[in-house]
């Protein structure tokens, strides 16, 4: 199951955050439909003048073996946060989420926790079809 969070570094990222909220709401309302008991919390760190991300790329963060849950942090680059095209941002958000669940799969495998990444990938693809018509 996928859940989404955001750390907003400043008002410059408000448009990106607005689009990210579409994905966040979808995951909140439909996330349980993947049927995957393992939880991946993807937190997008949006750049800004107040608090830019202090890392680049995607990294595993807080892990709970007991709860079968992993937080994966994603640093959104300045150039992506400056985009003003809804479809381009949604495409990026979904692609990065797919990369994040790949990071989670590696972590869960090394911890001996069974994670069916195919269920969450199907969930992402269904969302992509819904919002982008691909």
């Amino acid at each position: 199951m996928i859940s989404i969070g955001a750390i907003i570094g400043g008002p410059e990222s408000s448009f990106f955050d607005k689009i990210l909220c579409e994905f966040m709401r979808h995951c909140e309302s439909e996330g349980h439909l993947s049927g995957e008991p393992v939880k991946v919390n993807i937190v997008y760190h949006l750049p800004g003048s107040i608090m830019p991300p202090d890392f680049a790329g995607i990294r595993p963060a807080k892990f709970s073996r007991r709860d079968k849950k992993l937080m994966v942090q994603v640093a959104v680059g300045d150039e992506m946060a400056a985009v003003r095209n809804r479809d381009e941002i949604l495409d990026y958000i979904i692609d990065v989420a797919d990369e994040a669940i790949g990071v989670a799969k590696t972590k869960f495998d090394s911890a001996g926790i069974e994670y069916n990444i195919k269920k969450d990938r199907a969930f992402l693809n269904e969302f992509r079809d819904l919002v982008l018509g691909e």
Side-chain angles (χ1 to χ4, degrees):
M1 185 170 92
I2 298 171
S3 63
I4 303 300
I7 306 292
I8 303 166
E12 304 86 351
S13 295
S14 63
F15 185 81
F16 188 100
D17 181 51
K18 177 182 166 189
I19 307 305
L20 179 62
C21 284
E22 290 182 41
F23 184 43
M24 190 181 303
R25 283 189 298 275
H26 181 75
C27 290
E28 287 173 4
S29 66
E30 308 293 331
H32 65 284
L33 297 178
S34 77
E36 180 53 51
V38 174
K39 299 172 189 80
V40 181
N41 177 232
I42 305 168
V43 179
Y44 292 80
H45 289 247
L46 307 179
S49 55
I50 299 169
M51 186 178 61
D54 61 352
F55 66 102
I58 300 172
R59 67 183 184 188
K62 188 176 178 182
F63 173 67
S64 171
R65 181 184 306 274
R66 181 181 56 112
D67 296 332
K68 297 181 181 179
K69 184 175 184 177
L70 175 67
M71 176 192 292
V72 179
Q73 297 174 327
V74 175
V76 176
D78 292 333
E79 65 286 342
M80 193 66 224
V83 169
R84 294 298 178 258
N85 179 293
R86 176 185 176 272
D87 289 355
E88 187 177 344
I89 292 171
L90 281 168
D91 198 43
Y92 170 82
I93 288 168
I94 297 165
D95 285 348
V96 168
D98 188 69
E99 288 181 54
I101 63 174
V103 168
K105 173 74 171 147
T106 300
K107 181 69 175 177
F108 289 130
D109 284 351
S110 69
I113 296 171
E114 189 175 323
Y115 171 49
N116 186 346
I117 192 171
K118 290 179 183 177
K119 289 181 178 180
D120 281 343
R121 282 215 163 112
F123 178 78
L124 291 175
N125 288 333
E126 288 167 12
F127 179 71
R128 184 186 306 272
D129 290 344
L130 178 70
V131 296
L132 298 174
E134 294 179 4

